[in-house]
Amino acid sequence: MIKIGLFLVFLLFVPTIVKGECTCDSEDEEHNKSEALKYKIVAIASIMVAGAIGVGLPVLGKVIPSLEPEKDIFFVIKAFAAGVILSTAFIHVLPDAFESLTSPCLNEDPWGKFPFTGFVAMVSAIGTLMIDCFATSYYSNRRKKEVSADGNGDGDEEKSMEVHGDVHTHATHGHSHSVVDSNPSQLLRHRVIAQVLELGIVAHSLIIGISLGASQSSKTIKPLIVALTFHQFFEGMGLGGCICQTKFKTKAMVIMGLFFSLTTPLGIAIGIGISEGYNENSPTALIVEGIFDAASAGILIYMSLVDLLAADFMHPKVQANGKLQFGVNIFLLLGAACMSILAKWA
């Protein structure tokens, strides 16, 4: 009887204990701000360098012939990077969005009565499809009109390609040699893909940077430095693979690479600046982070499946080569596995 009574008392206190552990206030954990700031500075340097190396590696195809976009190794690298991006969306970004938008710190009405995370991700993916379609159609039609207006001459065709592609051609013995793809519309697709993909990655990178910069716990920051360094490196490889297919001038490629490399460090700097008054459990912070993460997840899922994996896996070169087909499948799984493992720490 005594045992039953003690058990009933225990059952009465369990909800109280659970409720006490769930709080929307900032954690009262002791923080060493000066030590945390040192780790944040290390994080800025480490993540920036890793991102720059990752996004720069695929661009080396300009100086290393084996890494050119039409080589077998490039398809393998892109499959690995696409696996990283897909895993980033499903394993890192989407769960964070669910956690933020289903937090008990938000009002039950409306946040608890509608699956906003899935809705925002879906709308984001549909919006990406529309932007992808309209942008490609717009630039393709504009190019056709200008080529038609120029008289469809060989010299005018090259001139039009340079205007839209920012690529160089040179004449040798009366013949023109261009470094652009044989299909100009495909080149436009690559450019739209690279820019939209960078938008999705940058939105998420800024959020994780702010979260790290606002944290005052060195115990939380230390494992995040390693995890996010690898995260940015692999993600940079995926973005770099798309950028190098755009055939932009070197200056444009460098700007896109720098924009990616500096986004997370910028987020960390913003987080440091607002860390005194920042409460990650406040309704405003949760809603903003959740919506941004859900939107980023939708963009990354669409881009990785439709514009990266589907396009490359159905490429005639991959379809005609059994060994290459096996390789891209293995490296897709390897990329997804590497990024999934990092979810243990970040």
Side-chain angles (χ1 to χ4, degrees), residues 162-242:
E162 287 190 19
V163 169
H164 292 281
D166 292 332
V167 293
H168 298 287
T169 58
H170 60 273
T172 306
H173 303 298
H175 296 286
S176 169
H177 300 273
S178 175
V179 294
V180 298
D181 290 351
S182 57
N183 185 354
S185 63
Q186 187 62 32
L187 183 63
L188 291 171
R189 287 280 301 124
H190 288 319
R191 291 176 179 176
V192 173
I193 289 168
Q195 291 168 7
V196 176
L197 179 61
E198 181 156 27
L199 176 65
I201 291 174
V202 161
H204 172 59
S205 296
L206 189 64
I207 290 295
I208 60 176
I210 291 174
S211 298
L212 190 152
S215 175
Q216 298 288 14
S217 171
S218 57
K219 290 182 179 179
T220 301
I221 296 171
K222 280 192 283 188
L224 281 176
I225 294 175
V226 178
L228 292 180
T229 297
F230 281 102
H231 183 282
Q232 290 299 100
F233 174 76
F234 290 136
E235 213 168 43
M237 284 183 63
L239 179 61
C242 292

Side-chain angles (χ1 to χ4, degrees), residues 32 60 82-83 155 157 193 221 229 260 277-278 296 336:
N32 187 331
L60 289 177
E157 174 73 9
I193 289 168
I221 296 171
T229 297
F260 164 76
Y278 181 80
S296 298

Side-chain angles (χ1 to χ4, degrees), residues 58-300:
V59 184
L60 289 177
K62 280 193 161 188
V63 293
I64 302 177
S66 61
L67 291 178
E68 289 178 354
E70 291 304 316
K71 299 293 184 180
D72 289 355
I73 187 65
F74 187 80
F75 283 96
V76 172
I77 291 172
K78 276 193 71 180
F80 178 87
V84 168
I85 292 172
L86 187 62
S87 179
T88 297
F90 277 114
I91 307 299
H92 293 260
V93 187
L94 203 56
D96 287 348
F98 272 110
E99 184 178 354
S100 296
L101 296 181
T102 58
S103 171
C105 301
L106 297 179
N107 291 331
E108 178 67 17
D109 187 14
W111 302 102
K113 295 184 176 180
F114 186 80
F116 281 98
T117 305
F119 177 74
V120 173
M122 178 190 70
V123 171
S124 175
I126 293 173
T128 305
L129 168 65
M130 292 178 176
I131 292 171
D132 202 359
C133 178
F134 289 143
T136 302
S137 175
Y138 171 76
Y139 286 113
S140 181
N141 290 334
R142 191 177 76 172
R143 181 187 166 279
K144 287 177 182 177
K145 288 179 181 178
E146 292 190 3
V147 169
S148 178
D150 288 340
N152 292 320
D154 290 339
D156 292 331
E157 174 73 9
E158 278 190 16
K159 181 180 178 182
S160 176
M161 291 288 282
E162 287 190 19
V163 169
H164 292 281
D166 292 332
V167 293
H168 298 287
T169 58
H170 60 273
T172 306
H173 303 298
H175 296 286
S176 169
H177 300 273
S178 175
V179 294
V180 298
D181 290 351
S182 57
N183 185 354
S185 63
Q186 187 62 32
L187 183 63
L188 291 171
R189 287 280 301 124
H190 288 319
R191 291 176 179 176
V192 173
I193 289 168
Q195 291 168 7
V196 176
L197 179 61
E198 181 156 27
L199 176 65
I201 291 174
V202 161
H204 172 59
S205 296
L206 189 64
I207 290 295
I208 60 176
I210 291 174
S211 298
L212 190 152
S215 175
Q216 298 288 14
S217 171
S218 57
K219 290 182 179 179
T220 301
I221 296 171
K222 280 192 283 188
L224 281 176
I225 294 175
V226 178
L228 292 180
T229 297
F230 281 102
H231 183 282
Q232 290 299 100
F233 174 76
F234 290 136
E235 213 168 43
M237 284 183 63
L239 179 61
C242 292
I243 291 175
C244 72
Q245 287 186 303
T246 62
K247 304 296 184 183
F248 282 131
K249 285 183 178 178
T250 303
K251 181 180 178 181
M253 289 186 178
V254 169
I255 291 173
M256 290 185 73
L258 283 175
F259 191 58
F260 164 76
S261 304
L262 295 175
T263 301
T264 302
L266 176 63
I268 295 173
I270 293 173
I272 293 172
I274 65 174
S275 58
E276 290 298 328
Y278 181 80
N279 178 8
E280 63 182 4
N281 290 323
S282 71
T284 302
L286 289 168
I287 292 169
V288 171
E289 288 182 15
I291 290 176
F292 265 85
D293 279 340
S296 298
I299 294 173
L300 296 180

